[in-house]
Amino acid sequence: MTPRLTPRAASAGLVVTMALAWAGCTGPSSPAAGGGPRSVTVAVEAPLTGPSAAAGADLVRGVRMAVAQLDAGKGILGHQVRVVVGDDRGRLAVARRVAATLVADRPVAVVGPPDPTLAAVVEPLYRRAGLAVLDVAPGGAPRSGVVELQGDDEQLAVLDAQEIVSVLHARTVAVMADPGLPVAAAVPALQALLVQAGVAVPLVADLQKPGDVGTALTELAVMKPDVVVLAVSDAQAGGLAAALVAAGVGSRRLVVETAPGAAAFAGAAGRAGTDTLVGGLPPLSQMAGGPAYQVAYLRRYGVDAGPWGALGADAVTVLSDAARRAGAITGPAVAEAAMNSASLQGVTGDLTIDPDSGRRRVPPLAVLDIAKSGVMSIDSAWAAFSGWPPPSGK
């Protein structure tokens, strides 16, 4: 069942609790336990080289910081935690080899990879090896036995449909999509939700077809829909936003189906960027445990925290809680317990998991506004509608 956003006031106690928890994680990294009989191994697959290296490094730092917090206490069921990392370089062929290498290290669980295309391929390999799998990639479809810490395609479609129907009160919506990209996988679900709500979707342009961009812009200039949805790559989004303004569709709101590199998007979009809304993870400063986590991360690493590390830290929280409830640190036992996580708070919010699908009952997704500077923040109109922060998924 698709979760529904309902108004709820923020819990001051949650932020205080997280601040105290992260306060002990500002010192130097604890050494790896070395794989002895009183240690447990957790694997991380991430790109540490290549164009997505920054995201991968952030993910690994978040995992290591959360592990240091555990090891400063009693670890996991009295076992110190050893972290092993595999660099998949953001490439599928490499990811398969990395998965085989990590499985050979006999971890109890794996976190990552952050790339949704790679995750769809390697996560079933990890599950067949008996590991607990904690998915941090955006979008995609639920996979058997996998805990998803971001929202999946259906949850993103629900978020965007709520914004378009209940906040923007749109009656006509056009879609420009590149079906070759993972982000476009949410378009069919979004289109179905809009039609169900009585919203007309007269145009779904396939941007893989030669010349379709120009044809779509011409049609949109005549059609003038209330909202244009862009399900495209980060690089395309800003250029299309500017092209829509030039074509006379600039007074419409643009909803981007993927959180773009904000500064790059703003530079390419120009003034069209301020008419753009994005569905995705909010800034850490607006997450429940984000501010305390940011402070601890900066003190520990000397650089600003990113969202991937926050998801990595939450993966460790789910993992340690699952092992405690299972009373065991074997992959199958931890995987089963993780699928039944409830009343668990993390950096990104409530970590209650739907045991049937593995996804969060209330995903940490919000509708974001892009300022002229390129900085993204939660859209105030959407926050008023939804009652951000989201409710507990219990």
Short mmCIF file of all heavy atoms in Angstrom, two decimals, residues 32-41 76 78-82 329:
data_model
loop_
_atom_site.label_atom_id
_atom_site.label_comp_id
_atom_site.label_asym_id
_atom_site.label_seq_id
_atom_site.Cartn_x
_atom_site.Cartn_y
_atom_site.Cartn_z
N ALA A 32 40.15 -0.86 12.27
CA ALA A 32 39.36 -2.02 11.89
C ALA A 32 39.67 -3.17 12.83
O ALA A 32 40.78 -3.32 13.33
CB ALA A 32 39.67 -2.43 10.44
N ALA A 33 38.66 -4.01 13.06
CA ALA A 33 38.82 -5.07 14.04
C ALA A 33 39.68 -6.21 13.54
O ALA A 33 40.10 -7.06 14.30
CB ALA A 33 37.45 -5.60 14.45
N GLY A 34 39.89 -6.27 12.21
CA GLY A 34 40.81 -7.27 11.70
C GLY A 34 40.22 -8.62 11.43
O GLY A 34 40.93 -9.57 11.12
N GLY A 35 38.91 -8.76 11.54
CA GLY A 35 38.27 -10.00 11.13
C GLY A 35 38.42 -11.13 12.12
O GLY A 35 38.27 -12.30 11.75
N GLY A 36 38.73 -10.88 13.40
CA GLY A 36 38.87 -11.94 14.39
C GLY A 36 37.52 -12.50 14.79
O GLY A 36 36.48 -12.08 14.30
N PRO A 37 37.53 -13.47 15.72
CA PRO A 37 36.29 -14.13 16.11
C PRO A 37 35.31 -13.20 16.80
O PRO A 37 34.12 -13.52 16.87
CB PRO A 37 36.77 -15.25 17.04
CG PRO A 37 38.12 -14.79 17.53
CD PRO A 37 38.71 -14.05 16.38
N ARG A 38 35.78 -12.08 17.36
CA ARG A 38 34.87 -11.14 18.00
C ARG A 38 34.64 -9.91 17.13
O ARG A 38 34.47 -8.81 17.62
CB ARG A 38 35.41 -10.73 19.36
CG ARG A 38 35.55 -11.86 20.34
CD ARG A 38 34.21 -12.52 20.64
NE ARG A 38 33.30 -11.62 21.33
CZ ARG A 38 32.03 -11.92 21.61
NH1 ARG A 38 31.53 -13.08 21.22
NH2 ARG A 38 31.27 -11.06 22.26
N SER A 39 34.64 -10.09 15.83
CA SER A 39 34.35 -8.99 14.92
C SER A 39 33.30 -9.43 13.92
O SER A 39 33.09 -10.63 13.70
CB SER A 39 35.61 -8.54 14.17
OG SER A 39 36.02 -9.51 13.24
N VAL A 40 32.62 -8.46 13.34
CA VAL A 40 31.63 -8.72 12.30
C VAL A 40 31.93 -7.77 11.15
O VAL A 40 32.30 -6.61 11.37
CB VAL A 40 30.19 -8.51 12.83
CG1 VAL A 40 30.00 -7.13 13.39
CG2 VAL A 40 29.16 -8.78 11.74
N THR A 41 31.81 -8.26 9.94
CA THR A 41 32.19 -7.48 8.76
C THR A 41 30.95 -6.89 8.08
O THR A 41 29.96 -7.60 7.87
CB THR A 41 32.96 -8.34 7.75
OG1 THR A 41 34.15 -8.82 8.38
CG2 THR A 41 33.34 -7.54 6.52
N ILE A 76 28.29 -4.57 17.80
CA ILE A 76 27.04 -5.28 17.48
C ILE A 76 27.06 -6.61 18.23
O ILE A 76 27.88 -7.49 17.93
CB ILE A 76 26.90 -5.52 15.96
CG1 ILE A 76 26.79 -4.18 15.22
CG2 ILE A 76 25.68 -6.37 15.67
CD1 ILE A 76 26.65 -4.32 13.72
N GLY A 78 28.28 -7.26 21.03
CA GLY A 78 29.59 -7.48 21.61
C GLY A 78 30.71 -7.65 20.62
O GLY A 78 31.87 -7.84 21.00
N HIS A 79 30.40 -7.57 19.33
CA HIS A 79 31.40 -7.73 18.28
C HIS A 79 31.78 -6.35 17.72
O HIS A 79 30.90 -5.54 17.42
CB HIS A 79 30.88 -8.58 17.12
CG HIS A 79 30.65 -10.02 17.48
ND1 HIS A 79 29.70 -10.41 18.41
CD2 HIS A 79 31.24 -11.15 17.04
CE1 HIS A 79 29.71 -11.73 18.51
NE2 HIS A 79 30.64 -12.20 17.70
N GLN A 80 33.07 -6.09 17.59
CA GLN A 80 33.52 -4.89 16.90
C GLN A 80 33.19 -5.03 15.41
O GLN A 80 33.09 -6.15 14.88
CB GLN A 80 35.01 -4.68 17.09
CG GLN A 80 35.40 -4.37 18.54
CD GLN A 80 34.98 -2.97 18.95
OE1 GLN A 80 35.59 -1.98 18.54
NE2 GLN A 80 33.93 -2.86 19.77
N VAL A 81 33.03 -3.90 14.74
CA VAL A 81 32.59 -3.91 13.34
C VAL A 81 33.76 -3.58 12.42
O VAL A 81 34.43 -2.55 12.60
CB VAL A 81 31.43 -2.92 13.10
CG1 VAL A 81 30.95 -3.01 11.65
CG2 VAL A 81 30.27 -3.22 14.05
N ARG A 82 33.98 -4.43 11.46
CA ARG A 82 35.02 -4.24 10.45
C ARG A 82 34.35 -3.82 9.16
O ARG A 82 33.43 -4.49 8.67
CB ARG A 82 35.80 -5.53 10.26
CG ARG A 82 36.74 -5.58 9.08
CD ARG A 82 37.48 -6.92 9.05
NE ARG A 82 38.30 -7.08 7.85
CZ ARG A 82 37.99 -7.88 6.84
NH1 ARG A 82 36.87 -8.60 6.88
NH2 ARG A 82 38.78 -7.97 5.79
N ILE A 329 24.17 -12.60 14.36
CA ILE A 329 24.80 -11.73 13.37
C ILE A 329 25.11 -12.51 12.10
O ILE A 329 26.13 -12.29 11.44
CB ILE A 329 26.07 -11.06 13.92
CG1 ILE A 329 27.00 -12.09 14.57
CG2 ILE A 329 25.73 -9.94 14.88
CD1 ILE A 329 28.33 -11.51 15.02
#
